[in-house]
Amino acid sequence: MQELNQTQIAQRLDQLTELSVELGSSHDTDTLLERILVVAKSMTNADGGTLYRPSEDKRFLDFTILLNDTLNTRQGGATGDPITAPGVPLFDESGDKNLASVAAYAAHFGLSVNIEDVYKADVFNFSGMVKFDQLRNYHSQSFLTVPMSDHEGELVGVLQLINAKDADTGEIRAFSQTDQRFIEALAAQAAVALTHQRLIAQLEELLESLVNLINIGIDEKSPYTGRHCQFVPELTMMLAEAVHNTETGPMADFRMNDADRKELWLAGLLHDCGKITTPVHVVDKATKLETIFDRIAVVDTRFEVLLRDAEIAALKRKLEAGADQAAIAAIDAELAEQQAALRAERDFIRVANVGGEGMKPEDQDRVREIGKRSWVGPDGAEQAFFSDNELMNLTIKFGTLTDSERKEINNHISMTIKMLEALPWPKHLKNVPEYAGGHHERMDGKGYPRGLTKDQMSVQARLMAIADIFEALTAKDRPYKKGKMLSESLRILGNFSLNGHIDPDLFDIFIRNKIYMEFAHKNMDEKQIDAIDESKIPGYTP
């Protein structure tokens, strides 16, 4: 058996040290695994090597990387061909541990297995290896199989080396005890690195799951907002990639790496997380009188009471008129006129309740005039036709929200910032609160909640503002409005670029790269997608 001299031992220690540095700095699992196997082969001068990883269900050892110098084989890892070999079963058909396979044995017992000549060993089943040798005219001889386990003893992988070669003669030799100890040390280091990467991946997956959990909560509370929480990050990333690829103009220096993209994506998912604190009847207020239900039905009932009261009063007067047909005819005409007026007022109130982009002052006055009526309630007491709250809501000029409700809605962004800033974000995600919390700010400083100007905002926050507005304009599922046509949405957005609302440079990229059209075909109703003449879009020069 070959003995190592001091120089060779020093070389192996150098290899272990270099690998330790690489293990600490590498973030790509495939590259890391390939490097582990390559160093193990080099350290022992092995002709081939295999690295197995346990399958998701822990029932197989999956081939992850397979290298063989003589056969010129390189499968798996970051640079190899796809793996074609099936995994090694960890259990047999009856559910017992598979102890016939040397790799499975090492995995089950956490022990290294060092075999000098597999053709002379009778402990394990090497029939598959024999077939492999026959098919490829190869001769497997010495095997070193070392399990890799994490700090809790859970299997991380199995490292298997084949055919150690004498450095001087090239003859196949057995793996020495020194070889085994060095590979066990390497496997231990590799297991720590792999566990570290796995824990990071699990934490990131947990974080994304928690983000999705919040969005599920918002979605269940309001399916309209849930859709918005899905589409805004999607549109944000589409625009961000276009800005990233821009090579001229004010945005030519903007670049993102994968970590930047992940940070922005998470910010997009969380940009409206504060809405989880907003009452659902405010978030989804479809009509002016809606609270937990639409009070227009209550108002309709009052009109019905007035209609019946008028009819009852007319019937009483007819009884008093007796056989005077002229008087009865006059009463009927008066009743018809009175009921027609009531029905007209009821229809008007129903329309006023829907809300819109601007209620005329004369319509507001008409609501107040109708409110001067009185009616007799179930308790027999006469009362005003509208309560103060109903009158205030029915005279809302824009949309369906009162001033206090609009403040409640706007407060969601303050809550978003408060919630996100309360979290201990890691360094690579530290900008999530700023990105997510800036989409209601304006370039001219007139936005909310902080009144930031363009120079005080990141590019990411500015482009998310465009995504948020465009999605809101085109969304057709909001209970309080119809989705606008694509051309109208671009006209509004263009005017926003001119009046200091959104960043004109980002808007230019949004139009020039036809991000709007890509999003429209993917997520908008085809009926909303009309012909676009970019030369007529305000704030854009083709």
Side-chain angles (χ1 to χ4, degrees):
M1 189 171 290
Q2 185 182 39
E3 293 296 331
L4 298 179
N5 58 39
Q6 293 300 315
T7 301
Q8 290 172 319
I9 291 175
Q11 288 174 343
R12 289 192 176 188
L13 288 173
D14 283 342
Q15 286 179 303
L16 275 178
T17 303
E18 290 176 8
L19 181 62
S20 296
V21 173
E22 290 182 39
L23 293 178
S25 60
S26 177
H27 301 291
D28 182 80
T29 301
D30 287 338
T31 302
L32 178 63
L33 292 172
E34 187 170 323
R35 185 61 183 151
I36 290 168
L37 186 56
V38 168
V39 171
K41 275 179 74 277
S42 173
M43 191 178 288
T44 57
N45 201 28
D47 186 48
T50 303
L51 199 152
Y52 303 90
R53 298 293 302 278
S55 61
E56 288 288 336
D57 60 6
K58 310 295 184 185
R59 299 196 62 80
F60 291 88
L61 287 176
D62 291 334
F63 284 89
T64 304
I65 307 174
L66 194 154
L67 305 177
N68 191 288
D69 295 340
T70 299
L71 298 176
N72 195 27
T73 299
R74 193 180 194 92
Q75 293 183 357
T79 59
D81 298 325
I83 294 285
T84 57
V88 176
L90 285 170
F91 301 91
D92 59 25
E93 294 179 356
S94 60
D96 295 326
K97 292 179 180 178
N98 175 18
L99 303 182
S101 163
V102 63
Y105 180 92
H108 282 304
F109 292 103
L111 298 173
S112 299
V113 180
N114 191 341
I115 300 175
E116 184 174 349
D117 189 339
V118 295
Y119 280 89
K120 297 178 181 179
D122 56 3
V123 179
F124 300 103
N125 180 2
F126 287 105
S127 59
M129 181 213 68
V130 172
K131 291 180 180 178
F132 178 91
D133 285 358
Q134 292 172 347
L135 286 172
R136 292 165 179 79
N137 195 27
Y138 187 72
H139 181 75
S140 301
Q141 184 171 317
S142 57
F143 266 60
L144 176 60
T145 306
V146 179
M148 297 187 294
S149 301
D150 65 14
H151 59 290
E152 294 180 338
E154 183 177 350
L155 185 70
V156 175
V158 174
L159 187 62
Q160 190 171 73
L161 299 173
I162 304 172
N163 288 0
K165 292 183 178 181
D166 186 285
D168 297 322
T169 65
E171 294 294 321
I172 304 297
R173 63 172 178 82
F175 290 94
S176 68
Q177 287 301 308
T178 305
D179 289 334
Q180 181 175 326
R181 294 302 297 159
F182 268 103
I183 298 305
E184 286 172 344
L186 182 151
Q189 287 184 333
V192 171
L194 290 172
T195 300
H196 177 70
Q197 282 201 350
R198 184 178 63 183
L199 289 173
I200 290 175
Q202 288 174 341
L203 286 173
E204 289 184 346
E205 185 178 347
L206 176 62
L207 176 59
E208 287 196 34
S209 297
L210 288 173
V211 170
N212 288 328
L213 185 66
I214 292 172
N215 284 339
I216 288 172
I218 296 173
D219 196 8
E220 288 296 316
K221 186 176 181 180
S222 168
Y224 317 108
T225 305
R227 176 187 182 276
H228 181 73
C229 289
Q230 295 169 18
F231 286 170
V232 167
E234 179 182 336
L235 182 54
T236 296
M237 296 311 298
M238 290 166 61
L239 179 54
E241 287 299 332
V243 180
H244 170 83
N245 293 325
T246 298
E247 297 181 352
T248 59
M251 292 295 161
D253 293 333
F254 178 80
R255 292 294 181 270
M256 299 183 298
N257 55 34
D258 288 342
D260 296 330
R261 290 179 175 88
K262 191 172 192 68
E263 185 177 39
L264 182 56
W265 172 253
L266 278 176
L269 288 173
L270 289 166
H271 83 285
D272 269 350
C273 67
K275 283 185 177 176
I276 201 167
T277 67
T278 309
V280 66
H281 69 272
V282 176
V283 174
D284 292 347
K285 191 180 181 188
T287 64
K288 295 180 179 180
L289 289 177
E290 184 173 353
T291 51
I292 57 174
F293 70 100
D294 193 346
R295 291 174 291 169
I296 192 65
V298 176
V299 173
D300 279 348
T301 300
R302 292 175 199 160
F303 273 112
E304 191 61 34
V305 169
L306 291 183
L307 287 167
R308 292 182 183 182
D309 283 351
E311 187 174 1
I312 291 170
L315 289 173
K316 288 180 178 179
R317 289 171 60 194
K318 284 183 180 181
L319 288 174
E320 294 174 358
D324 188 342
Q325 295 301 317
I328 291 174
I331 293 171
D332 285 339
E334 185 180 339
L335 173 63
E337 183 180 349
Q338 188 177 1
Q339 289 187 326
L342 286 170
R343 290 189 177 99
E345 289 178 356
R346 181 186 61 190
D347 293 341
F348 170 75
I349 293 299
R350 286 175 176 171
V351 173
N353 183 47
V354 174
E357 296 187 3
M359 190 176 191
K360 297 177 182 178
E362 53 267 33
D363 289 338
Q364 291 175 310
D365 290 339
R366 187 179 178 188
V367 171
R368 297 186 185 99
E369 192 64 30
I370 294 172
K372 292 179 181 179
R373 288 185 178 276
S374 61
W375 72 295
V376 178
D379 58 357
E382 187 173 346
Q383 51 194 282
F385 194 73
F386 297 134
S387 68
D388 291 342
N389 180 269
E390 290 167 345
L391 189 60
M392 176 181 64
N393 274 275
L394 285 169
T395 53
I396 292 171
K397 187 171 185 179
F398 296 103
T400 61
L401 299 176
T402 63
D403 290 340
S404 61
E405 288 168 340
R406 194 167 295 281
K407 288 178 181 178
E408 253 187 300
I409 285 285
N410 291 350
N411 186 57
H412 83 273
I413 192 62
S414 297
M415 289 305 302
T416 293
I417 295 171
K418 183 177 180 180
M419 290 166 64
L420 296 181
E421 287 186 343
L423 296 176
W425 294 99
K427 183 179 179 181
H428 67 290
L429 297 176
K430 63 183 175 62
N431 295 310
V432 167
E434 191 264 325
Y435 296 166
H439 65 278
H440 284 300
E441 302 290 351
R442 292 173 48 127
M443 304 306 101
D444 56 12
K446 296 178 182 178
Y448 63 92
R450 291 172 171 169
L452 302 177
T453 61
K454 176 181 178 179
D455 294 338
Q456 295 172 306
M457 297 172 64
S458 64
V459 173
Q460 288 87 339
R462 282 181 265 152
L463 60 85
M464 194 179 295
I466 292 177
D468 184 75
I469 294 170
F470 184 75
E471 197 288 325
L473 289 171
T474 57
K476 68 169 188 174
D477 62 348
R478 305 298 170 85
Y480 46 81
K481 74 171 191 68
K482 295 180 180 179
K484 296 186 181 299
M485 298 297 289
L486 182 58
S487 60
E488 184 182 2
S489 300
L490 294 177
R491 177 183 59 78
I492 294 172
L493 207 58
N495 285 327
F496 281 177
S497 75
L498 295 173
N499 66 16
H501 197 131
I502 63 173
D503 188 328
D505 298 323
L506 293 176
F507 176 70
D508 181 88
I509 295 172
F510 183 76
I511 302 300
R512 198 169 300 280
N513 289 270
K514 292 184 168 41
I515 304 300
Y516 66 90
M517 191 61 74
E518 182 182 350
F519 179 83
H521 283 305
K522 187 174 180 182
N523 297 310
M524 286 175 60
D525 190 318
E526 288 296 326
K527 295 178 182 177
Q528 291 177 262
I529 305 175
D530 53 354
I532 303 298
D533 184 350
E534 292 184 352
S535 66
K536 294 182 179 180
I537 297 176
Y540 176 72
T541 303

